């Protein structure tokens, strides 16, 4: 499977969600804003939900000093791991200099849109991570 990219938002609020399938799961890059970078890494592992009959995920996060990208990486890894029923590593780096709370909210919304969009795309792809080479 070739890498897939889903884009949400426009201009400085654009988020790129690029996914690479592996035999063991997925590697996801979340980049955007005016200066894409590496700010946080999250690992999401699917598990049965503690509330109900659906999948949830456990996440672990590493954040670079001075960055807040864990606020995007953690929910993205949890949503992707549960939505794809596979381990997911998310590398997140989204930045806008001097971003206002409203701008940060727009980036979060676009990140959620990109994550949900890529899950929908991957559910349409007839190949799963176990068969990727």
């Amino acid at each position: 499977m070739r890498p897939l990219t889903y884009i949400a938002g426009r201009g400085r609020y654009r988020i790129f969600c690029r996914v690479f399938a592996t035999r063991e799961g997925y590697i996801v890059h979340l980049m955007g804003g005016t200066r894409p970078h590496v700010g946080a890494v999250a690992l999401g592992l699917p598990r049965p939900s503690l509330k109900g009959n659906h999948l949830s995920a456990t996440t672990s996060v590493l954040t670079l000093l001075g960055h807040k990208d864990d606020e995007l990486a953690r929910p993205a890894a949890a949503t992707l791991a549960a939505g794809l029923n596979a381990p997911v590593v998310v590398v997140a780096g989204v930045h806008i200099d001097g971003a206002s709370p409203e701008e940060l909210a727009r980036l979060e919304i676009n990140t959620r849109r990109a994550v949900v969009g890529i899950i929908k795309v991957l559910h349409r792809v007839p190949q799963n991570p176990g068969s990727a080479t």
Side-chain angles (χ1 to χ4, degrees), residues 53-107:
N53 272 346
H54 60 279
L55 285 177
S56 188
T58 298
T59 58
S60 299
V61 181
L62 296 171
T63 308
L64 275 70
L65 186 62
H67 292 260
K68 294 185 178 182
D69 299 284
D70 56 312
E71 295 180 22
L72 299 177
R74 181 184 305 275
T79 300
L80 287 159
L84 300 172
N85 192 22
V88 176
V89 172
V90 173
V91 178
V94 178
H95 181 83
I96 294 178
D97 286 333
S100 69
E102 293 79 19
E103 289 178 306
L104 294 174
R106 281 181 78 173
L107 291 171

Side-chain angles (χ1 to χ4, degrees), residues 1 4 26 121-129 131-132:
M1 172 194 267
L4 297 173
Y26 297 92
V121 169
L122 286 169
H123 281 297
R124 290 193 307 254
V125 174
Q127 185 175 7
N128 64 41
S131 62

Side-chain angles (χ1 to χ4, degrees), residues 14-65:
R14 181 176 293 153
I15 300 293
F16 297 85
C17 182
R18 184 148 203 176
V19 179
F20 300 83
T22 72
R23 287 183 180 264
E24 291 81 21
Y26 297 92
I27 301 166
V28 178
H29 295 166
L30 280 175
M31 301 172 286
T34 57
R35 191 168 38 109
H37 61 284
V38 174
V41 177
L43 170 65
L45 299 172
R47 62 169 173 76
S49 174
L50 301 175
K51 299 176 183 175
N53 272 346
H54 60 279
L55 285 177
S56 188
T58 298
T59 58
S60 299
V61 181
L62 296 171
T63 308
L64 275 70
L65 186 62

